[in-house]
Amino acid sequence: MSGFVGADIAQLVALRTRFELHAKKIAEIASTSTTALTVAEWAGADIDRVRGEWRSNSHPALLRLVEFLNSAATDLARQADQQREASRDDSRGMGRSAGGAGAAISGHTTMADRWDTVRNGTGDDGIRIDEVVGPDGTARYVLYVDGTEPSRLFGNRSLYDNVGLFGTMTVTYAQILNAMRANVPDGSEVMIYGYSQGGIHAQELAESGAYKVTDVVTFGSPYRNDDDTPGGTNYVRIHDEGERWIPYSGKPNEIRDSAEEFVDHVVTAWRSILGDDAGAVTHEVARLNRGLDINYTSRASDVDNDLFIGTHGDQSTYRQGASEWEAEASQSAEGQRAIASQARFDGVAHQLY
């Protein structure tokens, strides 16, 4: 069988993404134009006429267009979910259209095994999505994202796409988003494993709030600048002591952490002083609800550390590092909490993409 019934989910997802991007751009234009007209040092009948036209006609028209595009995107998402459900039984066991899905796997999956999947279990696009049904009967999803393909300067998994570190939309991230939307229902719990560039995009997806990402594990990946373990996401970041060239792969220094903690308390205090008690409580709850941010330096180096890239590209190093972390994590409260969260993604697994 083809694994496909009815509408093309990928096209629905791609159109949804395009509508949402256009809606965001138009909303930004409307906002910046309103600000520009408001602060413009220009007086007289001409500016009054322009401002009046903007307020009464142009600005409302743009907002209606934004509303239409967002509404259409929501409808496309609903249709994709319906199509996905209609095709699920037919597609399960078929995998991606260009190949077959892996056999169903039941039981505990070690972190070392997940590392092997990141590096060897994805396709040419470096993306894999597994659906896992645990003992509680809940379907959860694991996204695997491999790193840069050194031979590519542009396009998916290219050297250029490392600019995702700075929040720039990239070909790789767009492809990840489309694959997720075509296979993972909105609101589902997701765990992401990413290596190098893949870890950048893992953080990007978690921070976007597009999915309920409960856990992110990165190998040899730099921090994204705006990362702050949002929404309770638990981060485990593994980097080997022999890494030579990954920028900012270590934990931010204690001075910065202390400063952020101080700012958080000041914000809470000022909201209370200004009478915004609800806002103060909400801010404090959000601060306390931050997920784990575990930074682990593995000592598994088994290649010459004098090489330009050190241990970054050595697969056995990070496999051993993953096992190291899992063994040591059980000895701390934070580590036990991370292991327990990840364990919810054990069960009967089927590759969807």
Side-chain angles (χ1 to χ4, degrees):
M1 298 181 70
S2 66
F4 171 76
V5 179
D8 187 326
I9 297 175
Q11 290 183 4
L12 292 176
V13 168
L15 190 57
R16 171 193 175 182
T17 300
R18 183 174 299 178
F19 278 15
E20 288 179 337
L21 289 174
H22 287 335
K24 182 179 179 179
K25 289 180 181 178
I26 294 171
E28 290 175 351
I29 291 172
S31 176
T32 56
S33 297
T34 297
T35 300
L37 284 173
T38 301
V39 301
E41 295 183 1
W42 183 13
D46 289 339
I47 186 59
D48 290 341
R49 178 178 54 79
V50 171
R51 286 171 174 160
E53 170 64 25
W54 176 256
R55 286 194 300 268
S56 61
N57 294 314
S58 302
H59 187 248
L62 288 176
L63 294 183
R64 286 194 298 271
L65 180 55
V66 170
E67 183 179 4
F68 167 77
L69 289 171
N70 282 327
S71 177
T74 299
D75 286 341
L76 288 166
R78 175 181 53 78
Q79 293 174 39
D81 284 342
Q82 292 173 348
Q83 181 58 55
R84 187 183 298 110
E85 187 63 29
S87 300
R88 183 154 326 257
D89 290 339
D90 192 54
S91 63
R92 183 168 291 170
M94 295 298 294
R96 65 179 72 208
S97 59
I105 300 173
S106 179
H108 173 61
T109 303
T110 67
M111 182 175 285
D113 289 337
R114 295 197 188 279
W115 158 254
D116 285 341
T117 301
V118 171
R119 296 309 326 272
N120 304 305
T122 62
D124 182 65
D125 59 3
I127 303 168
R128 172 170 171 156
I129 301 171
D130 286 357
E131 178 188 63
V132 181
V133 179
D136 60 358
T138 300
R140 297 181 176 88
Y141 300 84
V142 184
L143 168 66
Y144 299 92
V145 189
D146 201 359
T148 303
E149 173 53 56
S151 63
R152 300 174 184 171
L153 295 179
F154 299 99
N156 187 64
R157 297 175 62 202
S158 68
L159 292 170
Y160 172 80
D161 268 17
N162 280 275
V163 297
L165 178 64
F166 307 106
T168 302
M169 174 63 75
T170 65
V171 173
T172 304
Y173 184 67
Q175 189 152 337
I176 292 169
L177 197 59
N178 284 342
M180 288 290 289
R181 286 175 168 172
N183 291 278
V184 179
D186 290 344
S188 301
E189 291 187 349
V190 175
M191 177 168 67
I192 312 176
Y193 271 69
Y195 164 63
S196 192
Q197 182 190 118
I200 295 174
H201 298 304
Q203 296 169 74
E204 188 173 16
L205 185 60
E207 293 161 19
S208 73
Y211 290 91
K212 187 178 180 181
V213 179
T214 63
D215 297 87
V216 171
V217 179
T218 64
F219 299 91
S221 296
Y223 273 67
R224 270 173 53 93
N225 292 345
D226 55 350
D227 171 53
D228 196 12
T229 57
T233 300
N234 297 319
Y235 281 82
V236 175
R237 311 171 196 269
I238 300 176
H239 44 90
D240 188 71
E241 63 181 359
E243 283 278 8
R244 284 294 186 215
W245 68 287
I246 298 302
Y248 204 40
S249 62
K251 174 74 177 171
N253 62 56
E254 293 181 3
I255 295 177
R256 197 192 88 163
D257 291 347
S258 299
E260 289 179 348
E261 188 78 5
F262 175 75
V263 169
D264 279 332
H265 287 302
V266 169
V267 169
T268 300
W270 271 106
R271 281 181 165 163
S272 298
I273 292 172
L274 296 174
D276 184 13
D277 293 333
V281 171
T282 300
H283 181 80
E284 193 68 8
V285 169
R287 184 184 70 82
L288 296 174
N289 191 43
R290 289 177 184 161
L292 299 169
D293 194 358
I294 298 174
N295 199 66
Y296 180 78
T297 301
S298 65
R299 300 170 297 280
S301 305
D302 61 359
V303 299
D304 184 356
N305 289 344
D306 291 331
L307 294 175
F308 174 68
I309 62 173
T311 58
H312 185 67
D314 184 65
Q315 293 197 31
S316 62
T317 292
Y318 271 115
R319 191 179 208 287
Q320 185 177 334
S323 297
E324 278 183 13
W325 179 84
E326 206 160 32
E328 295 185 25
S330 60
Q331 301 174 24
S332 70
E334 276 195 339
Q336 291 173 13
R337 181 178 154 193
I339 289 175
S341 184
Q342 294 172 20
R344 294 177 306 113
F345 293 84
D346 287 337
V348 180
H350 294 85
Q351 182 180 347
L352 300 180
Y353 182 95

